[in-house]
């Protein structure tokens, strides 16, 4: 079976963030980028399914030149080919515009299953995969914690609900499965994999080559515009206790005893 | 021109979901802000009790789609029903407002796609601007907030974050309950529901814990957990964790606190190395006193903490453990 995995390259969640000069996004210069966490799990799930049932994994990502690093890493982990929507026209899109481009690529590829993460650690729309499924008219499931591809073209899906409960259901393939972090244990790349990845192809189609007009993708094709980003106001936050470890702890313990009276 | 807001109400066991009431508050406020009126929409089966609950709010109408095909939630049946409802409406809605529940996030983006709408997930507030509404929503795991605007005149679909609007602020009133005209012969489920299961057996009940020491990704590894155990022992606390710790296998899943784990309300909550993603915050926001220890001063956990310490938890916790022991001995 042919499995497409849509991944996003995002700032490392541990990185210190600064607001960009124009105020509309974070400053990307000097920022370390990684594969989005839940997309990593989606990739592992796809590689495991391809190993068990036979087939190939194609990895797809949208974004600027730096995204090549994420795709190379996915190729090193075992994906066979990569598609990089690198044309500047794809940039700056909301979930709907990004999903439109991804769906067009997937349609051109002809896939049996699409896997992706449930939510990106940067913009966090949490909706790109579901919108891809809408364009393809396939079933989808969001926040998937268990996936079993069955003989006969169906899949058994375990989906997370609130309050520590899971829902189990069956859906027909092809489908878009948006996985939650924690569904499996992602592998590490081997040296051999890293060497092989250098020779694996990365295709970079333009909007026209996937049958879309440039004003239907990226910022031009979006209905959502980010006006500005900011750190939430700190005034309503905690009382910050300063000093070295010993001084902070001494102050904290006194406050817990006398002010909060919880110790 | 008067604007129309539809509030999609999620049900739980035949009643309004807690967050459906928050969505009513949000929808009413949005209607006021855009100079319009709000109605509620209920999709499900055997919905009488829930629609009576909704009818006690200040709404233009409570629109109901009730059919056996909607007894169990599936995105196929819910999206199919709601697309018909919007397209066939006497007065088409300008905004759909839904609670940001795991059910909404599953189907609302797809509903937006089918209706060619702008989708604004996880709104925490909104304000009227010259050329439409501006919504505030968390990005970067809650470290920052973005203000976003919807372009054009079309339908906007908004989900509202848990706790952003208070259920008790909804305006009471009286609304007519009316049936939506839906052709259910074209509505089909796209999932065969097999059942519901409890995650990991939940051997540990943290909900009644008096003191919780919670650990996040910042602890750095399974082999670096000792300071957490030591502090918990000194405090007589239960140990909890945010999701990354569980996903990495550093603690068992029944220690997870947050929207997909347990909800706690201790008198003291020590959050060590937890950045404070909203999914974690919803599980611990009822704690009386929160102490946050994190090396990143901009971590959102500090916005819900009473006391904040910026630094390395591996330096601070051992000192804190000794100080707690000394305080208890005196």
């Amino acid at each position: 079976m042919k499995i497409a995995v849509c991944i996003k390259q995002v700032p490392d969640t541990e990185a210190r963030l600064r607001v960009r000069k124009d105020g509309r996004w974070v400053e990307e210069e000097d920022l370390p980028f990684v594969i989005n966490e839940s997309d990593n799990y989606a990739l592992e799930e796809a590689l495991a399914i391809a190993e068990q049932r036979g087939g190939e994994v194609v990895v797809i990502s949208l974004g600027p030149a730096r995204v090549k690093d994420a795709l190379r890493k996915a190729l090193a982990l075992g994906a066979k080919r990569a598609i990089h929507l690198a044309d500047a026209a794809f940039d700056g899109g909301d979930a709907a515009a990004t999903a439109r481009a991804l769906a067009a690529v997937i349609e051109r590829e002809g896939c049996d299953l699409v896997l992706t993460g449930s939510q990106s650690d940067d913009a966090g729309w949490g909706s790109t995969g579901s919108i891809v499924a809408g364009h393809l008219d396939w079933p989808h499931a969001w926040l998937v914690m268990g996936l079993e591809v069955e003989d006969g073209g169906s899949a058994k899906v375990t989906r997370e609900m609130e309050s520590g409960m899971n829902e189990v259901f069956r859906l027909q393939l092809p489908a878009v499965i948006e996985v939650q972090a924690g569904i499996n244990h992602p592998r590490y790349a081997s040296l051999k994999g890293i060497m092989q990845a250098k020779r694996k192809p990365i295709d970079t189609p333009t909007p026209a080559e996937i049958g879309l007009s440039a004003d239907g993708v990226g910022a031009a094709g979006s209905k959502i515009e980010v006006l500005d980003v900011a750190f939430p106001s700190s005034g309503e936050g905690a009382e910050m206790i300063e000093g070295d470890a010993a001084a902070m702890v001494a102050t904290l313990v006194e406050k817990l005893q006398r002010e909060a009276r919880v110790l | 021109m008067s604007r129309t807001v539809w509030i999609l109400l999620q049900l739980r066991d035949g009643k309004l979901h807690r967050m459906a009431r928050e969505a009513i508050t949000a929808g009413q406020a949005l209607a006021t802000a855009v100079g319009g009126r709000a109605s509620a929409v209920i999709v499900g089966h055997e919905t009488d009790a829930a629609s009576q609950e909704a009818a006690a709010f200040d709404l233009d109408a409570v629109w109901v789609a009730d059919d056996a095909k909607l007894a169990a939630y599936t995105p196929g049946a819910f999206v199919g029903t709601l697309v018909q409802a919007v397209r066939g409406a006497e007065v088409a809605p300008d905004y759909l407002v839904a609670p940001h529940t795991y059910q909404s996030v599953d189907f609302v983006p797809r509903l937006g796609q089918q209706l060619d709408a702008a989708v604004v997930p996880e709104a925490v507030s909104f304000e009227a601007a010259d050329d439409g509404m501006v919504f505030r929503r968390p990005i970067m795991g809650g470290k920052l907030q973005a203000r976003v605007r919807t372009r054009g005149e079309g339908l906007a679909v908004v989900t509202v974050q848990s706790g952003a609007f208070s259920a008790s602020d909804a305006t009471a009133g009286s609304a007519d309950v009316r049936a939506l005209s839906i052709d259910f012969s074209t509505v089909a489920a796209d999932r065969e529901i097999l059942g519901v299961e409890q995650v990991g057996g939940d051997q540990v009940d943290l909900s009644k814990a008096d003191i919780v020491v919670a650990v996040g990704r910042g602890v750095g590894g399974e082999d670096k957990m000792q300071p957490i155990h030591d502090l918990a022992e000194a405090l007589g606390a239960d140990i909890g964790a945010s999701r990354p710790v569980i996903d990495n296998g550093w603690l068992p899943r029944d220690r997870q606190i947050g929207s997909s784990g347990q909800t706690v309300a201790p008198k003291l909550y020590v959050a060590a190395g937890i950045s404070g993603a909203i999914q974690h915050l919803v599980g611990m926001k009822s704690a009386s006193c929160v102490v946050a220890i994190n090396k990143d001063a901009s971590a959102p956990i500090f916005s819900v903490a009473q006391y904040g310490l910026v630094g390395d938890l591996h330096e601070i916790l051992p000192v804190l453990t000794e100080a707690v022991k000394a305080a208890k001995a005196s």
Side-chain angles (χ1 to χ4, degrees):
Chain A
M1 76 193 297
K2 186 166 175 180
I3 308 172
V5 183
C6 303
I7 66 170
K8 184 176 190 182
Q9 194 194 39
V10 298
D12 190 325
T13 52
E14 298 290 298
R16 292 284 170 94
L17 300 171
R18 285 178 298 145
V19 175
R20 202 168 65 191
K21 263 208 186 97
D22 69 358
R24 295 174 76 103
W25 199 243
V26 294
E27 176 56 60
E28 294 197 353
E29 205 185 312
D30 300 328
L31 198 56
F33 280 86
V34 294
I35 296 177
N36 181 54
E37 186 177 27
S38 56
D39 296 342
N40 243 335
Y41 288 89
L43 178 60
E44 173 60 40
E45 200 67 15
L47 294 170
I49 293 168
E51 282 162 5
Q52 284 156 17
R53 305 189 66 91
E56 66 170 38
V57 174
V58 180
V59 63
I60 308 170
S61 192
L62 183 153
R66 59 171 161 76
V67 170
K68 279 249 157 25
D69 295 341
L71 290 170
R72 285 279 173 226
K73 186 174 176 213
L75 292 171
L77 288 166
K80 199 170 177 193
R81 289 187 297 121
I83 299 168
H84 182 187
L85 298 174
D87 195 294
F90 291 118
D91 276 354
D94 62 3
T98 298
R100 191 176 297 121
L102 294 171
V105 172
I106 290 159
E107 196 148 38
R108 189 184 71 154
E109 284 288 317
C111 301
D112 305 299
L113 175 64
V114 173
L115 286 162
T116 189
S118 282
Q119 191 162 20
S120 62
D121 294 327
D122 57 355
W125 300 114
S127 44
T128 309
S130 309
I131 298 175
V132 167
H135 283 292
L136 297 168
D137 202 18
W138 294 357
H140 80 275
W142 184 79
L143 220 58
V144 170
M145 273 305 272
L147 175 63
E148 224 176 285
V149 175
E150 302 172 315
D151 295 331
S154 60
K156 194 174 149 189
V157 175
T158 303
R159 185 176 107 80
E160 208 169 275
M161 298 161 71
E162 279 101 347
S163 318
M165 304 296 283
N166 279 340
E167 186 185 35
V168 186
F169 52 85
R170 177 171 288 124
L171 47 70
Q172 294 301 312
L173 301 182
V176 178
I177 302 294
E178 296 156 87
V179 311
Q180 166 73 306
I183 185 176
N184 52 37
H185 298 284
R187 67 192 66 188
Y188 294 96
S190 65
L191 188 60
K192 190 178 156 203
I194 293 167
M195 297 308 291
Q196 285 173 341
K198 292 178 180 164
R199 294 189 302 273
K200 290 180 178 175
I202 299 181
D203 184 19
T204 54
T206 61
E209 283 166 346
I210 55 171
L212 296 174
S213 67
D215 57 7
V217 296
S222 296
K223 291 183 188 290
I224 305 279
E225 179 188 11
V226 177
L227 298 176
D228 54 48
V229 305
F231 289 97
S233 55
S234 54
E236 62 202 324
E239 178 183 340
M240 302 307 282
I241 298 173
E242 318 263 330
D244 62 11
M248 281 195 287
V249 164
T251 309
L252 174 66
V253 168
E254 187 181 326
K255 284 181 180 291
L256 290 177
Q257 284 179 313
R258 296 182 202 285
E259 228 174 66
R261 297 176 185 277
V262 290
L263 204 65
Chain B
M1 195 182 82
S2 177
R3 296 282 179 160
T4 300
V5 176
W6 279 12
I7 308 164
L8 305 184
L9 299 183
Q10 185 172 333
L11 309 190
R12 187 172 183 166
D13 302 327
K15 302 274 199 141
L16 292 188
H17 189 286
R18 170 184 60 84
M19 281 172 62
R21 294 169 178 276
E22 297 180 4
I24 292 174
T25 304
Q28 288 177 334
L30 180 60
T32 303
V34 298
R37 288 285 296 165
S39 293
V41 177
I42 289 177
V43 174
H45 188 45
E46 295 176 345
T47 55
D48 286 356
S51 46
Q52 287 313 313
E53 275 184 84
F57 290 98
D58 180 30
L59 300 164
D60 257 8
V62 177
W63 294 101
V64 178
D66 189 318
D67 190 84
K69 283 182 175 175
L70 302 169
Y73 159 75
T74 66
F78 272 49
V79 170
T81 299
L82 285 164
V83 166
Q84 278 193 48
V86 170
R87 291 206 180 124
E90 290 166 30
V91 181
D94 301 287
Y95 294 92
L96 295 183
V97 175
H100 192 74
T101 60
Y102 286 5
Q103 177 172 306
S104 289
V105 185
D106 195 44
F107 80 89
V108 163
R110 187 155 184 161
L111 175 64
Q113 184 267 335
Q114 297 282 305
L115 293 168
D116 198 24
V119 180
V120 182
E122 232 180 324
V124 295
S125 67
F126 45 76
E127 65 208 29
D130 291 345
D131 45 357
M133 294 302 290
V134 172
F135 299 87
R136 201 180 289 272
R137 59 182 300 276
I139 58 166
M140 303 289 170
K143 285 183 189 166
L144 285 99
Q145 287 189 344
R147 293 194 318 135
V148 303
R149 180 172 59 188
T150 60
R151 281 207 187 116
E153 280 293 294
L155 175 68
V157 185
V158 183
T159 60
V160 289
Q161 183 53 261
S162 173
F165 294 85
S166 169
S168 57
D169 290 346
T171 309
S174 170
D176 288 338
V177 177
R178 302 174 65 184
L180 285 162
S181 161
I182 306 288
D183 175 9
F184 285 106
S185 69
T186 62
V187 170
D190 54 355
R191 294 173 183 175
E192 176 197 347
I193 307 295
L194 302 173
V196 169
E197 60 186 33
Q198 183 89 35
V199 179
D202 254 16
Q203 298 97 340
V204 181
D205 180 10
L206 297 174
S207 65
K208 292 176 186 66
D210 226 20
I211 304 179
V212 173
V213 173
V215 56
R217 190 201 304 264
V219 72
E222 190 178 10
D223 54 337
K224 296 177 181 159
M225 297 285 286
Q226 196 54 45
I228 307 293
H229 291 284
D230 292 344
L231 177 62
E233 198 185 330
L235 282 168
D238 285 296
I239 293 180
S242 64
R243 184 168 188 120
V245 169
I246 308 297
D247 288 344
N248 282 312
W250 302 343
L251 280 173
R253 196 155 287 278
D254 58 8
R255 295 283 171 180
Q256 185 180 334
I257 293 167
S259 53
S260 49
Q262 300 197 50
T263 302
V264 299
K267 62 175 191 182
L268 175 61
Y269 190 90
V270 180
I274 291 177
S275 70
I278 182 70
Q279 291 81 355
H280 181 74
L281 301 187
V282 298
M284 47 69 74
K285 64 184 178 193
S286 302
S288 321
C289 176
V290 176
V291 174
I293 301 165
N294 201 296
K295 62 179 172 15
D296 181 0
S298 66
I301 189 74
F302 289 120
S303 67
V304 298
Q306 187 170 347
Y307 304 116
L309 283 68
V310 176
D312 182 352
L313 70 91
H314 290 288
E315 278 176 36
I316 295 170
L317 290 196
V319 183
L320 180 55
T321 300
E322 290 312 313
V324 167
K325 281 185 192 164
K328 285 200 162 181
S330 63

